[in-house]
Amino acid sequence: MMAEDMAEKKLRGSGGFAIARVTDDEQKMANLGGPELFLAGIGRLDEDRFTKYFCNKCEKEYEGAPALKYENPNEDLGEGVTLVEKGEYKCKTCSATIAQYRKFEAPGQQAPAKAQPKAAEKLAPAQSTVPTAEGFVAIDQLVGMSAYDSEAMLVGKVEKIGLHRVGGNAQISLKIASESGTKDVDWNGISKIGDIILLSSAGKAVAAKCASCGYQNEAGALFCEECGSKL
């Protein structure tokens, strides 16, 4: 790719940002549903593509590229979805995380060659086997998919999908599991569905945690199932 085919862009991450030269296609991949561009959407870039980066922890700007660590676990996440590559950009001074990315292979997609220099996490609905949140979505295709928040940080993996009652009405919610536990996110909290699920800034847990005993109740519960306190 020739230099004139690239433009210098600001790519956000959970712990800072980077300035790098990217193509038009990469800019589309970096757009996770808003005006900002995210490094997580592009994935792995060569060092010479970076101009500088900013670390939130150091509160300082550095010339050149952040450090990059990545691996190819080829982990089966269920329902035919495979985690092909995961990586993390880190500050070379304090080792704080600048951005994370994940590359998935979904059913019907062809895995990239191992020599491919730009492994990326794609969210373009037109290229995905899963339709957008505005259209029809096959529920069984969502189980096992990874969910990211509006800051491009990994929230967890979809474990279950079901209905909960709120004010007498039934709503669809996703149970997202992570190392720190599980939480429910209602359907309105989903911004985009592609190879991953992107939650909107309005995406929130709908499960109720008891203030008295700390028990995590089902969404819509009025009284704690453990101690009986009113929620």
Side-chain angles (χ1 to χ4, degrees):
M1 184 67 64
M2 299 297 292
E4 55 266 27
D5 294 329
M6 299 184 188
E8 213 169 63
K9 295 292 181 179
K10 179 179 179 180
L11 306 172
R12 286 188 57 191
S14 60
F17 65 84
I19 306 296
R21 293 181 296 111
V22 294
T23 65
D24 288 341
D25 286 342
E26 288 168 341
Q27 289 183 52
K28 294 176 183 177
M29 290 155 54
N31 184 350
L32 302 187
E36 302 279 0
L37 299 180
F38 290 87
L39 187 53
I42 299 177
R44 180 157 43 109
L45 289 174
D46 293 335
E47 282 194 12
D48 60 6
R49 302 274 292 277
F50 290 89
T51 302
K52 55 188 175 182
Y53 70 92
F54 181 86
C55 173
N56 286 348
K57 184 175 181 180
C58 294
E59 296 185 340
K60 187 176 179 181
E61 189 174 270
Y62 297 96
E63 296 295 322
L68 172 63
K69 295 182 179 179
Y70 69 92
E71 58 181 313
N72 301 103
N74 291 316
E75 178 185 354
D76 183 8
L77 302 179
E79 302 298 328
V81 179
T82 302
L83 175 59
V84 179
E85 179 171 321
K86 60 180 180 180
E88 192 171 32
Y89 288 96
K90 288 180 169 290
C91 176
K92 290 182 176 179
T93 300
C94 70
S95 296
T97 298
I98 304 298
Q100 296 176 325
Y101 72 89
R102 300 291 187 272
K103 168 61 185 177
F104 301 94
E105 179 188 350
Q109 290 182 325
Q110 184 177 358
K114 290 185 178 180
Q116 177 74 16
K118 299 183 289 295
E121 190 173 58
K122 300 178 182 177
L123 283 169
Q127 301 175 2
S128 175
T129 58
V130 183
T132 63
E134 288 78 18
F136 176 80
V137 177
I139 295 297
D140 59 350
Q141 293 188 28
L142 301 184
V143 176
M145 291 180 66
S146 293
Y148 286 74
D149 64 18
S150 57
E151 297 296 323
M153 283 297 293
L154 179 66
V155 176
K157 185 170 64 175
V158 177
E159 188 177 64
K160 296 179 181 179
I161 300 175
L163 297 174
H164 69 275
R165 288 190 174 277
V166 176
N169 297 320
Q171 295 184 5
I172 298 176
S173 66
L174 282 65
K175 187 176 290 294
I176 300 175
S178 66
E179 294 181 356
S180 59
T182 61
K183 73 171 185 177
D184 291 347
V185 173
D186 65 37
W187 190 257
N188 293 329
I190 297 176
S191 173
K192 187 179 287 187
I193 299 175
D195 291 349
I196 66 170
I197 295 173
L198 179 68
L199 305 180
S200 67
S201 57
K204 58 185 182 300
V206 296
K209 185 175 182 179
C210 179
S212 298
C213 68
Y215 182 79
Q216 195 75 35
N217 293 272
E218 290 295 324
L222 299 178
F223 296 90
C224 178
E225 297 175 7
E226 182 70 17
C227 69
S229 298
K230 187 175 182 179
L231 301 175

